[in-house]
Amino acid sequence: MRGTTRRAAGLLALAVSVSVSAAAVAGCGPASGGGAAAVPAIGPVTTVTAVEQIVRPIDRYLVTPQQVTTLQSAANVLNERCMREFGLPPVASDLIGFDEQALRYDRTHAPLYGFFDPERAAVSGYDRVPAQSGPAASAPAAAPPSPSPETMAVEHGVDPTGKAVPAYAGRTVPAGGCKGESTRGAGGALPLPDPQALPDHGPGVPVGDPRVRAAFAAWSACMQTKGYRYPTPQDVLADTGLLPKTAEVNGVVSVEHSARELKQASDDVACKLSTNLVGITLAVQSAYDTRYVESHGPALAAYRQRIEDRVRAAERILQEQGTA
C-alpha cells in the first residue's frame, strides 16, 4: 500500500506565489530600510532565452531532489519496520512534486517574472496543470485495495473519528502513529526545495524594485500591442479564463489547452524575450539574493549543515536495510 508526499503544485502553488509576491515587497522595495540604500546594485544583465539559464545565487543552499528522495526513502524504511511490529502492511509514501521536473516547473512559473517557457508555450500554453511524475503518472487501470481501518489507525495514530489510538494488538502505538515515528526518525518533515524554506524565509521577491517595475511596464506595453492588457506578469497567472480543461481517469490527469491560451502564452513569451524581462528581473533578484546570503551567512551554513546531517543519517538507515 502506498500514499503520497506531495508538494503544492499547479493552481494552488501559483495562487500562493502570486499572493506571496505582493507581501514580499515590504522586504524588497526601495522604501524598506532607509530609501535608496535598500536597493542593491545589480551586476551584468544576461539576455535570457531559455529556462536553463535561470540560475540564482541561493540555489546552492536549497535541498536537492536527490536529498529529498533519500530522506523519504529512509522514512519509508522506518515506517515499514514500525508497521511490521504490529503485524500490518506498510503504507509507504511516494514523492510527488520533488523531482527535477517539478523544479523546472518552478522556474517556468515564478512569482517574479511569471510564466516563461519558450520551448513549450506553443503546445502547452501556460502549463498551469503540471505534468505528473512518479508512480501516479503511470497509475494502473485497477485501483489498489484501500488500506484497512486498522492499518490507517496505526499508520496515523488516530481512528476514523480522529480519536487517538493508544494501542493495537497489545503494543503501544507511537504518537502520530508509525507515520509520525518514521518522520521523526528521518529528522522531521521533508525540507522543501523552495527559497521560503531558508532562514527568515529567504530573500523575498523584489516586485517593488523600480527596475523590476520598469521591466514590467515594457513587457506590459508589448503585450498591449498584441491586444492584451495586463499590468504585471502575475496578473496573467491570476487570469482564470486561461485555465485549460482537465479530466482525470484512474488517477491520471489529461489537459486540453484552448487556442486562446496557446496563442496568448506564445505572445507572452515573445514579449518577455523582446524586452528581456526575465534577464532583467533575474539580475535584480540575484542582487537581493546576494545581499541576503551576505547577511545570513552563519544561518545558511547551519541550515545546510542540518540538511547534510539528516541526509547522512538517512543514508545509514538505508545501508542498514540493505544489509539486513
Side-chain angles (χ1 to χ4, degrees):
M1 300 176 187
R2 309 195 74 83
T4 57
T5 299
R6 185 184 300 268
R7 263 186 88 195
L11 299 179
L12 174 60
L14 290 174
V16 171
S17 294
V18 172
S19 63
V20 165
S21 64
V25 177
C28 296
S32 121
V39 179
I42 63 175
V45 177
T46 301
T47 299
V48 176
T49 59
V51 177
E52 291 69 27
Q53 292 176 266
I54 301 173
V55 180
R56 294 174 54 180
I58 61 167
D59 287 348
R60 66 183 184 273
Y61 295 101
L62 300 180
V63 65
T64 68
Q66 182 56 51
Q67 288 175 321
V68 175
T69 298
T70 298
L71 292 170
Q72 184 61 64
S73 297
N76 284 345
V77 166
L78 297 176
N79 184 78
E80 179 174 358
R81 291 178 186 171
C82 178
M83 293 295 285
R84 294 298 185 197
E85 290 178 357
F86 291 92
L88 295 170
V91 183
S93 292
D94 293 318
L95 290 171
I96 302 296
F98 287 89
D99 57 7
E100 292 292 346
Q101 179 174 282
L103 293 185
R104 186 185 190 279
Y105 185 88
D106 289 345
R107 294 189 184 96
T108 58
H109 300 76
L112 183 56
Y113 51 77
F115 171 76
F116 183 73
D117 196 347
E119 181 183 342
R120 302 180 187 176
V123 294
S124 298
Y126 284 102
D127 195 24
R128 293 197 286 180
V129 180
Q132 291 177 296
S133 60
S138 56
S146 299
S148 68
E150 294 80 8
T151 296
M152 296 306 293
V154 174
E155 171 73 359
H156 297 288
V158 294
D159 66 17
T161 69
K163 182 179 178 181
V165 176
Y168 177 81
R171 301 182 66 91
T172 300
V173 175
C178 285
K179 179 76 169 180
E181 182 173 87
S182 63
T183 297
R184 291 188 294 273
L190 290 178
L192 297 177
D194 187 323
Q196 292 187 53
L198 297 174
D200 292 334
H201 307 294
V205 184
V207 293
D209 186 282
R211 294 157 298 189
V212 170
R213 291 201 301 267
F216 284 174
W219 166 84
S220 181
C222 176
M223 289 288 280
Q224 189 167 343
T225 66
K226 299 178 184 293
Y228 312 107
R229 294 183 178 274
Y230 295 101
T232 74
Q234 292 81 22
D235 294 316
V236 178
L237 294 181
D239 187 349
T240 58
L242 294 168
L243 293 176
K245 294 181 180 179
T246 61
E248 183 173 345
V249 179
N250 296 323
V252 178
V253 178
S254 61
V255 180
E256 179 183 348
H257 300 280
S258 67
R260 175 200 170 192
E261 181 196 357
L262 295 176
K263 182 180 186 303
Q264 182 170 323
S266 298
D267 289 342
D268 187 346
V269 168
C271 281
K272 283 170 180 160
L273 290 171
S274 67
T275 61
N276 196 29
L277 173 71
V278 178
I280 295 168
T281 55
L282 181 61
V284 176
Q285 179 71 78
S286 295
Y288 284 91
D289 283 4
T290 299
R291 186 169 70 177
Y292 167 80
V293 170
E294 291 173 349
S295 64
H296 288 73
L300 285 168
Y303 174 81
R304 187 159 58 180
Q305 186 63 54
R306 286 195 299 272
I307 297 296
E308 292 173 354
D309 290 345
R310 286 184 61 181
V311 171
R312 279 193 293 270
E315 289 172 341
R316 288 194 293 271
I317 292 170
L318 297 175
Q319 289 168 359
E320 292 169 1
Q321 178 71 8
T323 59

